[in-house]
């Protein structure tokens, strides 16, 4: 018995699918010259309403997205590209607003002038909803991690304070208790202040500054501590001005944090070198120490909230530093070897 062979009409298969094809003119509101037959099934509009110019393609774009879509089309049109991709919202015939992915091909005449666009659009609303749900979940997880971290960090000094208060109630009053209690309260305040810096949005004012000047102001703060720990602070700066657009106080906070960390890591004495050089049109600042080093596993976690390799650290200082450098358009890279030392490298754009 001979098997029956079925021939598949690719065009029909395409028209039964979710991708709707439009061809519109490159004039105001984008009147439609062609639309695939599945437009009614997918968007609810009748094909003839587009072809008879009752509805133009610009009419179905959600009004809040129309300016953005128009600007993007104009920008892409000025380039030599022959296609581009967009994501925006359109309004179906029943009033439902849906997200679409639009793959657009540009049609040009013999003079390279744009005459038409072909758009292949696909409803991605479910995908967008899943993305938003994932973002909400990640945000809740982050809040949970922060809350757990703060509770853990504050619980330790609170436990200590409760213990000393109990001793005082029992009549055991010593002057040294007051100093310890004050120190623990300062620690709680420091943790909360660092958390507020991370969580509070604020407008930052940027000014042109020479990095030489910033280091000249902060390095004397560490001279006594470095001498006491048998550490030599060495600087190697380019002689030319190294001007960057920055918030002076924020960058000082980052530099102070890195120098402080380097001194704490170099507990057995040694050299801490700070380099400031111009490299490939960027400012490159290196903090090089001969300390204990950081394992490869821990390097990957640097900048995470409440992750620290220090006994009394919170991890928030480094996290704030990463955030500040990112807001300045820069990057931080870390190289380290256990028992040899670490290099923290900051790259920042010049003015």
């Amino acid at each position: 018995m001979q098997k029956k062979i079925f021939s598949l009409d690719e065009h029909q298969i395409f028209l039964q699918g979710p991708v709707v094809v439009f061809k519109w003119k490159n004039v105001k509101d984008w009147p439609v010259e062609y639309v695939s037959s599945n437009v009614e099934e997918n968007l609810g509009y009748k094909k003839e309403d587009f072809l008879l110019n009752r509805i133009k393609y610009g009419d179905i774009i959600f009004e809040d997205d129309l300016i953005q879509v128009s600007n993007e089309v104009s920008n892409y049109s000025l380039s030599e590209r022959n296609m581009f991709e967009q994501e925006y919202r359109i309004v179906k015939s029943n009033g439902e607003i849906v997200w679409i992915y639009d793959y657009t091909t540009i049609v040009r005449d013999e003079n390279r002038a744009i005459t038409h666009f072909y758009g292949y659009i696909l409803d991605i609303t479910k995908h967008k909803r899943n993305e938003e749900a994932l973002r909400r979940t990640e945000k809740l997880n982050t809040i949970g991690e922060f809350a757990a971290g703060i509770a853990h960090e504050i619980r330790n000094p609170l436990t200590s304070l409760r213990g000393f208060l109990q001793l005082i109630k029992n009549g055991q009053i010593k002057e040294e208790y007051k100093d310890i209690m004050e120190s623990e309260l300062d620690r709680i305040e420091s943790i909360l202040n660092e958390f507020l810096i991370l969580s509070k949005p604020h407008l930052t004012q940027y000014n042109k500054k020479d990095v030489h000047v910033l280091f000249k102001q902060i390095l004397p703060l560490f001279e006594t501590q470095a001498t006491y720990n048998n550490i030599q602070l060495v600087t190697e700066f380019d002689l030319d001005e190294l001007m960057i657009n920055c918030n002076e106080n924020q960058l000082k906070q980052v530099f102070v944090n890195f120098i402080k960390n380097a001194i704490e890591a170099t507990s057995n004495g040694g050299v801490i070198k700070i380099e400031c050089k111009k490299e490939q049109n960027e400012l490159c600042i290196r903090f090089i120490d001969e300390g204990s080093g950081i394992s490869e596993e821990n390097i990957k976690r640097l900048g995470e909230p409440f992750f620290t390799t220090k006994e009394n650290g919170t991890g928030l200082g480094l996290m704030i530093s990463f955030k500040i450098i990112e807001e300045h358009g820069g990057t931080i890279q870390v190289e380290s070897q256990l028992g040899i030392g670490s290099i923290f490298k900051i790259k920042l754009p010049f003015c």
Side-chain angles (χ1 to χ4, degrees), residues 140-183:
L140 287 172
N141 288 340
T142 301
I143 292 170
E145 288 176 11
F146 264 77
I150 291 169
H152 173 74
E153 293 296 330
I154 291 179
R155 184 183 292 117
N156 293 334
L158 283 178
T159 301
S160 177
L161 288 168
R162 184 183 293 275
F164 283 115
L165 282 173
Q166 192 63 45
L167 290 173
I168 292 170
K169 281 182 181 181
N170 294 336
Q172 300 179 43
I173 302 175
K174 293 183 180 180
E175 191 65 30
E176 62 192 75
Y177 290 172
K178 296 178 183 178
D179 294 335
I180 297 172
M181 291 174 73
E182 186 176 8
S183 174

Side-chain angles (χ1 to χ4, degrees), residues 109-147:
D109 62 18
E110 62 275 7
N111 298 316
R112 301 294 296 163
I114 298 172
T115 60
H116 297 81
F117 298 97
Y118 269 109
Y120 303 80
I121 70 170
L122 175 67
D123 188 337
I124 57 169
T125 306
K126 287 183 180 179
H127 175 68
K128 283 288 186 180
R129 285 173 182 162
N130 291 337
E131 277 187 346
E132 183 59 32
L134 182 60
R135 274 196 293 270
R136 283 198 298 267
T137 302
E138 289 175 345
K139 189 179 292 184
L140 287 172
N141 288 340
T142 301
I143 292 170
E145 288 176 11
F146 264 77

Side-chain angles (χ1 to χ4, degrees), residues 28-285:
K28 185 182 177 184
D29 298 329
W30 300 320
V32 175
E33 282 194 355
Y34 169 83
V35 60
S36 54
S37 301
N38 60 348
V39 63
E40 186 169 359
E41 181 183 349
N42 286 282
L43 303 180
Y45 297 104
K46 293 187 179 298
K47 181 175 181 175
E48 55 266 27
D49 286 339
F50 285 105
L51 300 181
L52 295 174
N53 217 21
R54 297 186 191 122
I55 304 173
K56 299 174 183 175
Y57 189 75
D59 296 335
I60 69 172
I61 298 175
F62 184 50
E63 59 181 354
D64 289 356
D65 295 352
L66 184 56
I67 293 176
Q68 177 188 330
V69 173
S70 298
N71 289 339
E72 288 182 358
V73 169
S74 298
N75 290 336
Y76 286 124
S77 300
L78 292 173
S79 70
E80 287 301 309
R81 296 179 60 172
N82 292 320
M83 56 74 56
F84 57 88
E85 299 166 280
Q86 292 176 290
E87 290 183 5
Y88 53 88
R89 291 167 291 181
I90 64 172
V91 184
K92 296 172 72 171
S93 65
N94 61 2
E96 182 186 358
I97 300 169
V98 296
W99 277 95
I100 63 155
Y101 164 79
D102 180 359
Y103 182 99
T104 301
T105 301
I106 300 173
V107 180
R108 303 176 189 268
D109 62 18
E110 62 275 7
N111 298 316
R112 301 294 296 163
I114 298 172
T115 60
H116 297 81
F117 298 97
Y118 269 109
Y120 303 80
I121 70 170
L122 175 67
D123 188 337
I124 57 169
T125 306
K126 287 183 180 179
H127 175 68
K128 283 288 186 180
R129 285 173 182 162
N130 291 337
E131 277 187 346
E132 183 59 32
L134 182 60
R135 274 196 293 270
R136 283 198 298 267
T137 302
E138 289 175 345
K139 189 179 292 184
L140 287 172
N141 288 340
T142 301
I143 292 170
E145 288 176 11
F146 264 77
I150 291 169
H152 173 74
E153 293 296 330
I154 291 179
R155 184 183 292 117
N156 293 334
L158 283 178
T159 301
S160 177
L161 288 168
R162 184 183 293 275
F164 283 115
L165 282 173
Q166 192 63 45
L167 290 173
I168 292 170
K169 281 182 181 181
N170 294 336
Q172 300 179 43
I173 302 175
K174 293 183 180 180
E175 191 65 30
E176 62 192 75
Y177 290 172
K178 296 178 183 178
D179 294 335
I180 297 172
M181 291 174 73
E182 186 176 8
S183 174
E184 294 296 81
L185 287 170
D186 288 342
R187 177 166 166 75
I188 292 173
E189 185 180 21
S190 174
I191 292 167
L192 293 176
N193 285 338
E194 288 181 325
F195 179 69
L196 286 172
I197 290 172
L198 285 169
S199 61
K200 184 172 64 177
H202 54 278
L203 294 174
T204 304
Q205 186 174 358
Y206 292 84
N207 296 299
K208 289 184 179 179
K209 290 290 177 183
D210 184 358
V211 175
H212 293 93
V213 176
L214 300 186
F215 277 104
K216 198 171 184 180
Q217 292 170 345
I218 63 174
L219 284 173
L221 303 174
F222 296 96
E223 287 177 356
T224 302
Q225 187 181 358
T227 302
Y228 179 79
N229 289 282
N230 195 28
I231 293 171
Q232 184 182 2
L233 285 174
V234 177
T235 58
E236 189 176 308
F237 294 175
D238 280 352
L239 295 176
D240 297 334
E241 282 188 339
L242 299 171
M243 302 296 294
I244 57 173
N245 203 30
C246 69
N247 179 280
E248 180 179 350
N249 290 330
Q250 285 189 350
L251 274 197
K252 282 182 180 178
Q253 182 180 356
V254 173
F255 299 159
V256 165
N257 188 39
F258 281 8
I259 296 170
K260 181 171 172 285
N261 287 347
I263 290 174
E264 291 175 357
T266 316
S267 55
N268 296 322
V271 176
I272 294 175
K273 186 178 180 182
I274 303 168
E275 296 179 351
C276 285
K277 297 183 178 182
K278 182 178 181 180
E279 294 182 4
Q280 296 179 346
N281 297 319
E282 287 183 311
L283 171 63
C284 187
I285 305 170

